Amino acid sequence: MTATASAPASEHPAIGPVTKICCIGAGYVGGPTMAMIAHQCHDIEVKVVDINAARIAQWNSDELPIYEPGLDDIVRGRRDQNLIFTTEVDEAIRDADMIFISVNTPTKTFGVGAGRAANLEFIEKCARKIAEVSVGHKIVVEKSTLPVRTAEAVKAILAEATSGATFDVLSNPEFLAEGTAIDDLLSPDRVLIGGESDAAVQALVEVYSQWVPRERVLTTNLWSSELSKLTANAFLAQRVSSINSISALCEATEADVDEVAMAIGMDSRIGPKFLKASVGFGGSCFQKDILNLVYLCEYFGLPEVADYWQQVVTMNDYQKRRFVHRMVRTMFNTVSDKKIAVWGFAFKKDTNDTRESAAIYVCRDLLLEKARLSIYDPQVTKAQVVADLEAVFRNGDQEISAASRQLIENNIEVVSDAESAANSAHAIAVLTEWDEFVTADFKKIREGMQKPAFIFDGRNTLKGLGLEEMGFDYQGIGFRR
């Protein structure tokens, strides 16, 4: 279906090869995806636009706003050639053949669906801006993760364009894993494109086909594409929560969750991926997308389905609480005024993204127990750590109490290396699986710690290093020593 303000669908304009792309949103998806398109398609001018001038300045600097292995080289290679980062939103939209919408769709914190539904405020604002300034024909591509049927709202807004512009709307969800985003973009498992106009779909297919094998480019209807992204993340998160539920049983029965995961993962019907027990999943997508799926199921009158997916999030929250309770119980039922080294704050290694990181919630609960935290992450700044902790302490009115603010100000420090964090600490909590933690000088670290020296490994990263023989009380996930 073509959204149009002046011409009937039968007068659909001809669609030629894409030569100019505009991406609205210079975040974790828009920046790397557009950099890859510019890298692979030198004949296409790619403009990444954002109203956040500071973020655009970072993309144009030597220190990008996003840490992703390989991204810096790709950006440097194409920036100011066919890859442009700018705040000139209107001009970029007006000139483009194809417009990607890649803005944030956070979970609502207010009103109907608060805590579950996606906040589509920024999507709607993008659609209205596109309708306002467009001329000619535009292919509008939903890149943000959206609830199914969102395209209907986007098309309705675009149909009110007064300039005579016409539009096709496509869905092209991202399937990037942070930390491996560049590899995922270079060699994706699949590229999914949903739409109702064959010509518009083919235009985007031709862009990706410049480097992605055609058999990996999957075309569907618009609604299947929108729903596939939510479903993929829900299934992956379900596997993590499933193995984490078994990790609790392993600790109670003296089984080893890694051995269980290996045994079941060798079953070709199950496979080994996403069966790594941990302190809990994080990131911008898993929890947000599952909660959105829960809300959609409730909205469409499917409470049993909603309850099923809600349990995935419930189990994830339980795993984080269980980790802290185990720490407190093991450390003689109190961590009050004890220094705890927190190794890792990003939600996974090889990224500076902290959104929904398990570390945020573990640190919050340890602060509520009056622990003193010394936090180290190689890519996360002190400002980000403080902002995340302040956010998780806010109440329903988005205010932070004086007591909570005092805890953050007085009971945390952010240091520049793992050894400094552990110096004089009673315990180390490993919350991100950074490779450098495996190569730390643990004999030296133990000498500088309080005794007994505890290590609580929320990622099982240090398992097998013989830390018990060095004198540590080592506790991992899903097994007992």
Side-chain angles (χ1 to χ4, degrees), residues 62-147:
D62 292 333
E63 289 193 20
L64 304 184
I66 294 168
Y67 174 75
E68 194 69 41
L71 175 62
D72 190 71
D73 289 341
I74 287 178
V75 170
R76 288 174 183 269
R78 301 312 307 170
R79 190 169 58 195
D80 297 326
Q81 296 186 58
N82 67 323
L83 177 61
I84 300 165
F85 297 94
T86 177
T87 57
E88 299 295 328
V89 178
D90 291 12
E91 178 184 344
I93 291 173
R94 192 176 299 114
D95 292 344
D97 309 310
M98 181 175 286
I99 303 164
F100 285 79
I101 299 178
S102 187
V103 294
N104 196 18
T105 54
T107 302
K108 287 185 71 176
T109 59
F110 57 88
V112 176
R116 294 169 299 165
N119 184 348
L120 300 180
E121 172 186 352
F122 304 118
I123 294 292
E124 181 173 338
K125 286 180 176 178
C126 284
R128 292 187 182 280
K129 172 58 71 173
I130 292 168
E132 175 190 342
V133 303
S134 288
V135 294
H137 185 74
K138 309 292 184 187
I139 301 172
V140 178
V141 183
E142 298 175 335
K143 196 66 180 173
S144 302
T145 303
L146 300 170

Coordinates of all heavy atoms in Angstrom, one line a residue, residues 62-147:
D62 N 37.4 12.0 16.8 CA 38.3 10.8 16.9 C 37.8 9.8 18.0 O 38.3 8.7 18.1 CB 39.7 11.2 17.2 CG 40.4 11.9 16.1 OD1 40.0 11.7 14.9 OD2 41.3 12.8 16.3
E63 N 36.8 10.2 18.8 CA 36.3 9.4 19.8 C 34.8 9.2 19.6 O 34.0 10.0 19.9 CB 36.5 9.9 21.2 CG 37.9 9.9 21.7 CD 38.1 10.1 23.1 OE1 37.1 10.0 23.9 OE2 39.2 10.5 23.5
L64 N 34.4 8.1 18.9 CA 33.0 7.8 18.6 C 32.2 7.6 19.8 O 32.7 7.2 20.9 CB 32.9 6.6 17.7 CG 33.7 6.6 16.4 CD1 33.5 5.4 15.5 CD2 33.5 7.9 15.6
P65 N 30.9 7.9 19.7 CA 30.0 7.8 20.9 C 29.7 6.3 21.2 O 29.2 6.0 22.3 CB 28.7 8.5 20.5 CG 28.7 8.4 19.0 CD 30.1 8.5 18.6
I66 N 30.1 5.4 20.3 CA 29.8 4.0 20.5 C 31.1 3.2 20.4 O 31.9 3.4 19.4 CB 28.8 3.5 19.4 CG1 27.4 4.1 19.6 CG2 28.7 1.9 19.4 CD1 26.5 3.9 18.5
Y67 N 31.3 2.3 21.3 CA 32.5 1.4 21.2 C 32.0 0.1 20.6 O 31.2 -0.6 21.2 CB 33.2 1.2 22.5 CG 34.3 0.1 22.4 CD1 35.5 0.5 21.8 CD2 34.1 -1.2 22.8 CE1 36.5 -0.5 21.7 CE2 35.1 -2.1 22.7 CZ 36.3 -1.8 22.1 OH 37.3 -2.7 22.0
E68 N 32.6 -0.3 19.5 CA 32.3 -1.5 18.8 C 33.5 -1.9 18.0 O 34.0 -1.2 17.2 CB 31.1 -1.3 17.9 CG 30.4 -2.6 17.4 CD 29.7 -3.4 18.4 OE1 29.0 -2.8 19.3 OE2 29.8 -4.6 18.4
P69 N 34.1 -3.1 18.3 CA 35.3 -3.5 17.5 C 35.1 -3.4 16.0 O 34.1 -3.9 15.5 CB 35.4 -5.0 18.0 CG 34.8 -5.0 19.3 CD 33.6 -4.1 19.3
G70 N 36.0 -2.7 15.4 CA 36.0 -2.5 13.9 C 35.2 -1.3 13.4 O 35.4 -0.9 12.3
L71 N 34.4 -0.7 14.3 CA 33.5 0.4 13.8 C 34.4 1.6 13.5 O 34.1 2.3 12.5 CB 32.5 0.7 14.9 CG 31.6 1.9 14.6 CD1 30.8 1.7 13.3 CD2 30.7 2.2 15.8
D72 N 35.4 1.9 14.3 CA 36.2 3.1 14.1 C 36.8 3.1 12.7 O 36.8 4.2 12.0 CB 37.2 3.2 15.2 CG 37.9 4.6 15.2 OD1 37.3 5.6 15.6 OD2 39.1 4.6 14.8
D73 N 37.4 2.0 12.3 CA 38.1 2.0 11.0 C 37.1 2.2 9.9 O 37.4 2.9 8.9 CB 38.8 0.6 10.9 CG 40.0 0.5 11.8 OD1 40.5 1.5 12.3 OD2 40.4 -0.7 12.0
I74 N 35.9 1.6 10.0 CA 34.9 1.8 8.9 C 34.5 3.2 8.8 O 34.3 3.8 7.7 CB 33.8 0.8 9.1 CG1 34.2 -0.6 8.8 CG2 32.6 1.2 8.3 CD1 33.1 -1.7 9.0
V75 N 34.2 3.8 10.0 CA 33.7 5.2 10.0 C 34.8 6.1 9.4 O 34.6 7.0 8.5 CB 33.3 5.7 11.4 CG1 33.1 7.2 11.4 CG2 32.1 4.9 11.8
R76 N 36.1 5.9 9.8 CA 37.2 6.8 9.4 C 37.4 6.6 7.8 O 37.7 7.6 7.1 CB 38.5 6.4 10.1 CG 38.5 6.9 11.5 CD 39.8 6.3 12.2 NE 39.9 6.7 13.6 CZ 40.4 7.8 14.1 NH1 41.0 8.6 13.2 NH2 40.5 8.0 15.4
G77 N 37.1 5.4 7.4 CA 37.3 5.1 6.0 C 36.4 5.8 5.0 O 36.7 6.1 3.9
R78 N 35.1 6.1 5.5 CA 34.1 6.6 4.6 C 33.6 8.0 5.0 O 32.9 8.7 4.3 CB 32.9 5.7 4.5 CG 33.2 4.3 4.0 CD 34.0 4.3 2.7 NE 33.5 5.1 1.7 CZ 34.2 5.4 0.5 NH1 35.4 4.9 0.4 NH2 33.6 6.1 -0.4
R79 N 33.9 8.4 6.2 CA 33.4 9.7 6.7 C 33.9 10.9 5.8 O 35.0 10.9 5.4 CB 33.8 9.9 8.2 CG 33.2 11.1 8.9 CD 33.5 11.1 10.4 NE 34.9 11.1 10.6 CZ 35.5 10.8 11.8 NH1 34.7 10.5 12.8 NH2 36.8 10.9 12.0
D80 N 32.9 11.8 5.6 CA 33.2 12.9 4.7 C 33.4 12.6 3.3 O 33.8 13.4 2.4 CB 34.3 13.8 5.2 CG 34.0 14.4 6.6 OD1 32.9 14.6 6.9 OD2 35.0 14.5 7.4
Q81 N 33.2 11.3 2.9 CA 33.2 10.9 1.5 C 31.7 10.6 1.1 O 31.1 11.5 0.6 CB 34.1 9.7 1.3 CG 35.6 10.0 1.6 CD 36.5 8.9 1.3 OE1 36.5 8.4 0.1 NE2 37.3 8.4 2.2
N82 N 31.3 9.4 1.4 CA 29.9 9.1 1.2 C 29.1 8.8 2.5 O 28.0 8.4 2.5 CB 29.7 8.0 0.2 CG 30.1 6.6 0.8 OD1 31.1 6.6 1.5 ND2 29.4 5.6 0.4
L83 N 29.8 9.1 3.6 CA 29.2 9.0 5.0 C 29.3 10.3 5.7 O 30.4 10.8 6.0 CB 29.9 7.9 5.8 CG 29.4 7.6 7.2 CD1 27.9 7.2 7.2 CD2 30.3 6.6 7.9
I84 N 28.1 10.9 5.9 CA 28.1 12.2 6.5 C 27.2 12.2 7.8 O 26.1 11.7 7.8 CB 27.5 13.2 5.5 CG1 28.3 13.2 4.2 CG2 27.3 14.6 6.1 CD1 27.7 13.9 3.0
F85 N 27.7 12.8 8.8 CA 27.0 12.9 10.1 C 26.6 14.4 10.3 O 27.5 15.3 10.2 CB 27.8 12.4 11.3 CG 28.1 11.0 11.2 CD1 29.3 10.5 10.7 CD2 27.3 10.0 11.7 CE1 29.7 9.2 10.6 CE2 27.6 8.7 11.7 CZ 28.8 8.3 11.1
T86 N 25.3 14.7 10.4 CA 24.9 16.1 10.4 C 23.7 16.3 11.2 O 22.9 15.4 11.5 CB 24.6 16.5 8.9 OG1 24.2 17.9 8.9 CG2 23.6 15.6 8.3
T87 N 23.5 17.5 11.6 CA 22.2 17.9 12.3 C 21.2 18.6 11.4 O 20.1 19.0 11.8 CB 22.5 18.9 13.5 OG1 23.2 20.1 12.9 CG2 23.4 18.3 14.5
E88 N 21.6 18.6 10.1 CA 20.7 19.2 9.1 C 19.6 18.2 8.7 O 19.7 17.6 7.6 CB 21.5 19.7 7.9 CG 22.5 20.8 8.2 CD 21.9 22.1 8.7 OE1 20.8 22.4 8.2 OE2 22.5 22.8 9.5
V89 N 18.6 18.0 9.5 CA 17.7 17.0 9.4 C 16.8 17.2 8.1 O 16.6 16.3 7.3 CB 16.8 16.8 10.6 CG1 15.7 15.8 10.4 CG2 17.7 16.5 11.8
D90 N 16.2 18.4 8.0 CA 15.3 18.7 7.0 C 15.9 18.5 5.6 O 15.3 17.9 4.7 CB 14.7 20.1 7.1 CG 13.8 20.3 8.3 OD1 13.8 19.4 9.1 OD2 13.2 21.4 8.4
E91 N 17.1 19.0 5.4 CA 17.8 18.9 4.1 C 18.0 17.5 3.7 O 17.8 17.1 2.6 CB 19.1 19.7 4.2 CG 19.9 19.6 2.9 CD 21.2 20.3 3.0 OE1 21.4 21.1 4.0 OE2 22.1 20.1 2.2
A92 N 18.5 16.7 4.7 CA 18.8 15.3 4.4 C 17.6 14.5 4.1 O 17.6 13.7 3.2 CB 19.5 14.7 5.7
I93 N 16.4 14.8 4.7 CA 15.2 14.1 4.4 C 14.7 14.5 3.0 O 14.3 13.6 2.2 CB 14.1 14.5 5.4 CG1 14.4 13.8 6.8 CG2 12.7 14.0 4.9 CD1 13.5 14.3 7.9
R94 N 14.8 15.8 2.7 CA 14.3 16.3 1.4 C 15.1 15.7 0.3 O 14.5 15.3 -0.8 CB 14.4 17.8 1.4 CG 13.7 18.5 0.3 CD 13.8 20.0 0.4 NE 13.1 20.5 1.6 CZ 13.8 21.0 2.6 NH1 15.1 21.2 2.6 NH2 13.1 21.4 3.7
D95 N 16.4 15.5 0.5 CA 17.3 15.0 -0.6 C 17.2 13.5 -0.8 O 17.6 13.0 -1.9 CB 18.7 15.4 -0.4 CG 18.9 16.9 -0.5 OD1 18.0 17.6 -1.0 OD2 19.9 17.4 0.0
A96 N 16.8 12.8 0.2 CA 17.0 11.3 0.2 C 16.0 10.6 -0.7 O 14.8 11.0 -0.8 CB 16.9 10.8 1.6
D97 N 16.4 9.4 -1.2 CA 15.4 8.5 -1.9 C 14.8 7.6 -0.8 O 13.7 7.2 -1.0 CB 16.2 7.6 -2.9 CG 17.0 8.4 -3.9 OD1 16.5 9.4 -4.5 OD2 18.2 8.1 -4.1
M98 N 15.6 7.2 0.1 CA 15.2 6.3 1.2 C 15.6 6.8 2.5 O 16.7 7.4 2.8 CB 16.0 4.9 0.9 CG 15.6 3.8 1.9 SD 16.4 2.3 1.4 CE 15.4 1.8 0.0
I99 N 14.6 6.7 3.5 CA 14.8 7.3 4.8 C 14.6 6.2 5.8 O 13.6 5.6 5.9 CB 13.8 8.4 5.1 CG1 13.9 9.5 4.0 CG2 14.0 9.0 6.5 CD1 12.7 10.4 4.0
F100 N 15.7 5.9 6.6 CA 15.6 5.0 7.7 C 15.2 5.7 9.0 O 15.8 6.7 9.3 CB 16.9 4.3 7.9 CG 17.3 3.3 6.9 CD1 17.8 3.7 5.6 CD2 17.2 1.9 7.1 CE1 18.1 2.7 4.7 CE2 17.5 1.0 6.2 CZ 18.0 1.4 4.9
I101 N 14.3 5.1 9.7 CA 13.9 5.6 11.0 C 14.6 4.7 12.1 O 14.3 3.5 12.2 CB 12.4 5.6 11.3 CG1 11.7 6.6 10.3 CG2 12.1 6.1 12.7 CD1 10.2 6.6 10.4
S102 N 15.5 5.3 12.8 CA 16.3 4.5 13.7 C 16.5 5.2 15.0 O 17.6 5.4 15.5 CB 17.7 4.2 13.1 OG 18.4 3.3 13.9
V103 N 15.3 5.5 15.6 CA 15.3 6.2 16.9 C 14.9 5.3 18.0 O 14.5 4.2 17.8 CB 14.4 7.4 16.8 CG1 14.9 8.5 15.8 CG2 13.0 7.0 16.5
N104 N 15.1 5.8 19.2 CA 14.9 4.9 20.4 C 13.4 4.7 20.6 O 12.6 5.6 20.4 CB 15.5 5.6 21.6 CG 15.6 4.7 22.8 OD1 15.6 3.5 22.7 ND2 15.7 5.3 24.0
T105 N 13.1 3.5 21.0 CA 11.7 3.1 21.4 C 11.7 2.5 22.8 O 11.5 1.3 22.9 CB 11.1 2.2 20.3 OG1 11.9 1.0 20.2 CG2 10.9 2.8 19.0
P106 N 11.9 3.3 23.8 CA 12.0 2.8 25.1 C 10.7 2.3 25.7 O 9.6 2.6 25.1 CB 12.5 4.0 25.9 CG 12.0 5.2 25.2 CD 12.0 4.8 23.7
T107 N 10.7 1.6 26.7 CA 9.5 1.1 27.4 C 8.9 2.3 28.1 O 9.5 3.2 28.7 CB 9.8 0.1 28.4 OG1 10.5 -1.0 27.8 CG2 8.6 -0.4 29.1
K108 N 7.6 2.5 28.0 CA 6.8 3.6 28.6 C 7.0 3.6 30.1 O 6.9 2.5 30.7 CB 5.4 3.5 28.2 CG 5.0 3.9 26.8 CD 3.5 4.0 26.6 CE 2.9 5.2 27.3 NZ 1.4 5.3 27.0
T109 N 7.2 4.7 30.7 CA 7.3 4.9 32.1 C 6.0 5.6 32.7 O 6.0 5.9 33.9 CB 8.5 5.6 32.5 OG1 8.5 6.9 31.9 CG2 9.8 4.9 32.1
F110 N 5.1 5.8 31.8 CA 3.9 6.6 32.3 C 2.7 6.1 31.5 O 2.8 5.5 30.4 CB 4.1 8.1 32.0 CG 4.5 8.4 30.6 CD1 3.5 8.6 29.7 CD2 5.8 8.4 30.2 CE1 3.8 8.9 28.3 CE2 6.1 8.7 28.8 CZ 5.1 8.9 27.9
G111 N 1.5 6.4 32.0 CA 0.2 6.2 31.3 C -0.1 4.8 30.9 O 0.4 3.8 31.6
V112 N -0.9 4.6 29.9 CA -1.4 3.3 29.5 C -0.2 2.5 29.0 O 0.6 2.9 28.2 CB -2.4 3.5 28.3 CG1 -2.9 2.1 27.8 CG2 -3.6 4.3 28.8
G113 N -0.1 1.3 29.6 CA 1.0 0.4 29.2 C 2.3 0.7 29.8 O 3.3 0.1 29.4
A114 N 2.3 1.5 30.9 CA 3.5 1.9 31.5 C 4.3 0.6 32.0 O 3.6 -0.3 32.6 CB 3.3 2.8 32.7
G115 N 5.6 0.5 31.8 CA 6.4 -0.6 32.2 C 6.4 -1.8 31.2 O 7.1 -2.7 31.4
R116 N 5.6 -1.7 30.1 CA 5.5 -2.8 29.2 C 5.5 -2.3 27.7 O 6.3 -2.8 26.9 CB 4.3 -3.7 29.5 CG 4.4 -4.4 30.8 CD 3.0 -5.0 31.1 NE 2.0 -4.0 31.2 CZ 0.7 -4.2 31.2 NH1 0.2 -5.5 31.1 NH2 -0.2 -3.2 31.3
A117 N 4.6 -1.4 27.4 CA 4.4 -1.0 26.0 C 5.6 -0.1 25.6 O 6.3 0.6 26.4 CB 3.1 -0.2 25.9
A118 N 5.8 -0.1 24.3 CA 6.9 0.7 23.7 C 6.4 2.2 23.6 O 5.2 2.4 23.3 CB 7.3 0.2 22.3
N119 N 7.3 3.1 23.9 CA 7.0 4.5 23.8 C 7.3 4.9 22.3 O 8.5 5.0 21.9 CB 7.8 5.3 24.8 CG 7.5 6.8 24.7 OD1 6.8 7.3 23.8 ND2 8.0 7.6 25.7
L120 N 6.3 5.2 21.5 CA 6.5 5.4 20.1 C 6.5 6.9 19.8 O 6.3 7.3 18.7 CB 5.3 4.8 19.3 CG 5.3 3.2 19.5 CD1 4.1 2.7 18.6 CD2 6.6 2.6 19.1
E121 N 6.7 7.7 20.8 CA 6.7 9.2 20.7 C 7.7 9.6 19.6 O 7.4 10.5 18.7 CB 7.1 9.9 22.0 CG 7.3 11.4 21.9 CD 7.8 11.9 23.2 OE1 7.8 11.2 24.2 OE2 8.2 13.1 23.2
F122 N 8.9 9.1 19.6 CA 9.9 9.5 18.7 C 9.7 9.0 17.3 O 10.0 9.7 16.3 CB 11.3 9.1 19.2 CG 11.6 9.6 20.6 CD1 11.8 8.7 21.6 CD2 11.7 10.9 20.9 CE1 12.1 9.1 22.9 CE2 11.9 11.4 22.1 CZ 12.1 10.4 23.2
I123 N 9.1 7.8 17.2 CA 8.7 7.3 15.9 C 7.7 8.2 15.2 O 7.8 8.6 14.0 CB 8.1 5.9 16.0 CG1 9.2 4.9 16.5 CG2 7.5 5.4 14.7 CD1 10.3 4.7 15.5
E124 N 6.7 8.6 16.0 CA 5.6 9.5 15.4 C 6.2 10.9 15.0 O 5.9 11.4 14.0 CB 4.5 9.7 16.5 CG 3.4 10.6 15.9 CD 2.2 10.7 16.8 OE1 2.0 9.8 17.7 OE2 1.4 11.7 16.7
K125 N 7.1 11.4 15.9 CA 7.7 12.7 15.5 C 8.5 12.6 14.2 O 8.5 13.5 13.4 CB 8.6 13.2 16.7 CG 7.8 13.7 17.9 CD 8.7 14.1 19.0 CE 7.8 14.7 20.2 NZ 8.7 15.1 21.3
C126 N 9.2 11.5 14.0 CA 10.0 11.3 12.8 C 9.0 11.2 11.6 O 9.3 11.9 10.6 CB 10.7 10.0 12.9 SG 12.2 10.0 13.9
A127 N 7.9 10.5 11.7 CA 7.0 10.4 10.7 C 6.4 11.8 10.3 O 6.2 12.1 9.1 CB 5.8 9.4 11.0
R128 N 6.1 12.5 11.3 CA 5.5 13.9 11.1 C 6.6 14.8 10.4 O 6.2 15.6 9.5 CB 5.0 14.5 12.4 CG 3.8 13.8 12.9 CD 3.2 14.4 14.1 NE 2.0 13.7 14.6 CZ 0.8 13.7 14.1 NH1 0.6 14.4 13.0 NH2 -0.1 12.9 14.6
K129 N 7.8 14.7 10.8 CA 8.9 15.5 10.2 C 9.0 15.1 8.7 O 9.2 15.9 7.8 CB 10.2 15.3 11.0 CG 11.4 16.0 10.3 CD 11.2 17.5 10.1 CE 11.2 18.3 11.4 NZ 11.2 19.7 11.1
I130 N 9.0 13.8 8.4 CA 9.2 13.3 7.1 C 8.0 13.8 6.2 O 8.2 14.3 5.1 CB 9.2 11.8 7.1 CG1 10.5 11.3 7.7 CG2 9.1 11.2 5.6 CD1 10.6 9.8 8.0
A131 N 6.8 13.7 6.7 CA 5.6 14.2 6.0 C 5.7 15.7 5.8 O 5.3 16.2 4.7 CB 4.4 13.9 6.8
E132 N 6.3 16.4 6.7 CA 6.3 17.9 6.6 C 7.3 18.4 5.5 O 7.0 19.3 4.8 CB 6.8 18.5 8.0 CG 7.0 20.0 8.0 CD 7.7 20.4 9.3 OE1 7.7 19.7 10.3 OE2 8.2 21.6 9.3
V133 N 8.5 17.8 5.4 CA 9.5 18.3 4.5 C 9.7 17.6 3.3 O 10.5 18.0 2.4 CB 10.8 18.5 5.3 CG1 10.6 19.3 6.6 CG2 11.4 17.1 5.6
S134 N 9.1 16.4 3.1 CA 9.4 15.6 1.9 C 8.8 16.2 0.6 O 7.8 16.8 0.6 CB 8.9 14.2 2.1 OG 9.6 13.5 3.0
V135 N 9.5 15.9 -0.5 CA 9.0 16.2 -1.8 C 9.3 14.9 -2.6 O 10.2 14.2 -2.4 CB 9.6 17.4 -2.4 CG1 9.3 18.7 -1.7 CG2 11.2 17.3 -2.5
G136 N 8.4 14.7 -3.7 CA 8.6 13.6 -4.5 C 8.2 12.3 -3.8 O 7.3 12.3 -3.0
H137 N 8.9 11.2 -4.2 CA 8.6 9.9 -3.6 C 9.7 9.4 -2.6 O 10.9 9.5 -3.0 CB 8.4 8.8 -4.7 CG 7.9 7.5 -4.1 ND1 6.6 7.3 -3.7 CD2 8.6 6.3 -3.9 CE1 6.5 6.0 -3.2 NE2 7.7 5.4 -3.4
K138 N 9.3 8.9 -1.5 CA 10.3 8.4 -0.5 C 9.9 7.0 -0.1 O 8.8 6.7 0.1 CB 10.3 9.3 0.8 CG 10.4 10.8 0.5 CD 11.8 11.2 0.0 CE 11.9 12.7 -0.2 NZ 13.2 13.1 -0.8
I139 N 11.0 6.2 0.1 CA 10.8 4.9 0.8 C 11.2 5.1 2.2 O 12.4 5.4 2.5 CB 11.7 3.8 0.1 CG1 11.3 3.7 -1.4 CG2 11.6 2.5 0.8 CD1 12.3 2.8 -2.2
V140 N 10.3 4.9 3.1 CA 10.5 5.0 4.6 C 10.7 3.7 5.2 O 9.9 2.8 5.0 CB 9.4 5.8 5.2 CG1 9.6 5.9 6.7 CG2 9.2 7.2 4.6
V141 N 11.8 3.5 5.8 CA 12.2 2.2 6.4 C 12.2 2.2 7.9 O 13.0 3.0 8.5 CB 13.6 1.7 5.8 CG1 13.9 0.3 6.3 CG2 13.7 1.8 4.3
E142 N 11.4 1.3 8.5 CA 11.4 1.2 9.9 C 12.6 0.3 10.3 O 12.7 -0.8 10.0 CB 10.1 0.5 10.4 CG 8.8 1.2 10.2 CD 7.7 0.3 10.6 OE1 7.8 -0.9 10.7 OE2 6.6 0.9 10.9
K143 N 13.6 1.0 11.0 CA 14.8 0.2 11.5 C 14.7 0.0 13.0 O 15.2 -1.0 13.5 CB 16.0 1.0 11.1 CG 17.3 0.2 11.2 CD 17.3 -0.9 10.2 CE 18.6 -1.8 10.2 NZ 18.5 -2.9 9.3
S144 N 14.0 0.9 13.7 CA 13.8 0.8 15.1 C 13.0 -0.5 15.4 O 12.2 -0.9 14.5 CB 13.1 2.0 15.7 OG 13.8 3.2 15.4
T145 N 13.2 -1.1 16.6 CA 12.3 -2.2 17.0 C 11.0 -1.7 17.4 O 10.8 -0.9 18.3 CB 13.0 -2.9 18.1 OG1 14.3 -3.4 17.8 CG2 12.2 -4.2 18.5
L146 N 9.9 -2.2 16.7 CA 8.6 -1.7 16.8 C 7.6 -2.8 17.1 O 7.7 -3.9 16.6 CB 8.2 -0.9 15.6 CG 9.1 0.3 15.2 CD1 8.7 0.8 13.8 CD2 8.9 1.4 16.2
P147 N 6.5 -2.5 17.8 CA 5.4 -3.5 17.9 C 4.7 -3.6 16.6 O 4.7 -2.7 15.7 CB 4.5 -2.8 18.9 CG 4.8 -1.4 18.9 CD 6.2 -1.3 18.5

